[in-house]
Amino acid sequence: MEPQLKVSPADAVDGVATVVISNPAKRNAMTVAMWRALPELLAGLAADRDVRALVVTGEGATFCAGADISTLREPGDEQQSLAVRAEEALAAFPKPTLAAVRGYCVGGGSQLAAACDLRFAEEGALFGVTPSKLGIVYPSSSTRRLASLVGPSAAKYLLFSGELIDTERALRTGLVDEVLPAGELDKRVREFTRVLVSRSQLTQAAAKEFADGRTDRDAHWAEQARGSGDTAEGVAAFLERRAPRFTYGI
């Protein structure tokens, strides 16, 4: 089977699209072609009004074991540039994103997982940021994202050593948000993404920008809130003790 990114599109009912990293012969390592394809794929999903949340996961028992080392024969700057563009496209995805992690989440895999808004992992998953094992300078944007997620000290531990950490330590440092027993990850992801798609996309979009460091958009989001009707609907639903029917972005 050729290495590829598989997409399960969302529908108007569930609202959740899934991107599956598929290169099982190499523990779902990302090839140059896969890095190159990801931004365009994400742009298509972002433009789909049925998509209200995105799950990124790996084929089978592994999330992603990093970059396909055989493709490192490509010019180094090009390889890194493609990976950074893919990571930035994932980080900029306008709807909530969740990485569902099993097995190895290493190198470029950790880069992609860190670019998601949330990370749920199955017990036994292993995480590592491994450029020091290859003499590669980790991109500044990726380093800053990792440090903002786990703190400078934990980021330095991961980057300096290249050592793998287990789910207990990943949870403690903030690299993952939830750890699930074996066999429970898919169920929990389905449950949680149902929660995400039931909430206001207005709130989520503004919160995502603010949490990611945008400090110049208060007026924009205040205007969006005034025109959306979501606030009035949310308050009415609360008072009437019913589920809200938010319409922003739909």
Side-chain angles (χ1 to χ4, degrees), residues 68-115:
D68 186 341
I69 298 299
S70 67
T71 67
L72 291 179
R73 296 189 185 93
E74 297 282 330
D77 289 345
E78 180 188 356
Q79 168 86 3
Q80 189 172 90
S81 177
L82 289 170
V84 169
R85 283 203 293 271
E87 176 191 356
E88 294 297 327
L90 183 54
F93 194 79
K95 311 295 175 61
T97 56
L98 188 154
V101 178
R102 293 183 184 82
Y104 286 95
C105 179
V106 178
S110 287
Q111 200 172 343
L112 291 173

Side-chain angles (χ1 to χ4, degrees), residues 31-92:
T31 65
V32 165
M34 293 163 75
W35 288 121
R36 187 177 286 117
L38 186 56
E40 183 176 351
L41 183 156
L42 292 171
L45 292 172
D48 185 343
R49 295 176 74 87
D50 286 339
V51 175
R52 300 193 294 281
L54 175 69
V55 173
V56 180
T57 193
E59 183 88 20
T62 296
F63 181 75
C64 174
D68 186 341
I69 298 299
S70 67
T71 67
L72 291 179
R73 296 189 185 93
E74 297 282 330
D77 289 345
E78 180 188 356
Q79 168 86 3
Q80 189 172 90
S81 177
L82 289 170
V84 169
R85 283 203 293 271
E87 176 191 356
E88 294 297 327
L90 183 54

Side-chain angles (χ1 to χ4, degrees), residues 178-197:
E178 292 191 15
V179 175
L180 287 306
E184 295 294 316
L185 180 62
D186 289 342
K187 177 183 176 184
R188 175 58 179 150
V189 169
R190 284 194 300 271
E191 291 173 348
F192 191 76
T193 51
R194 278 200 295 269
V195 171
L196 293 180
V197 301

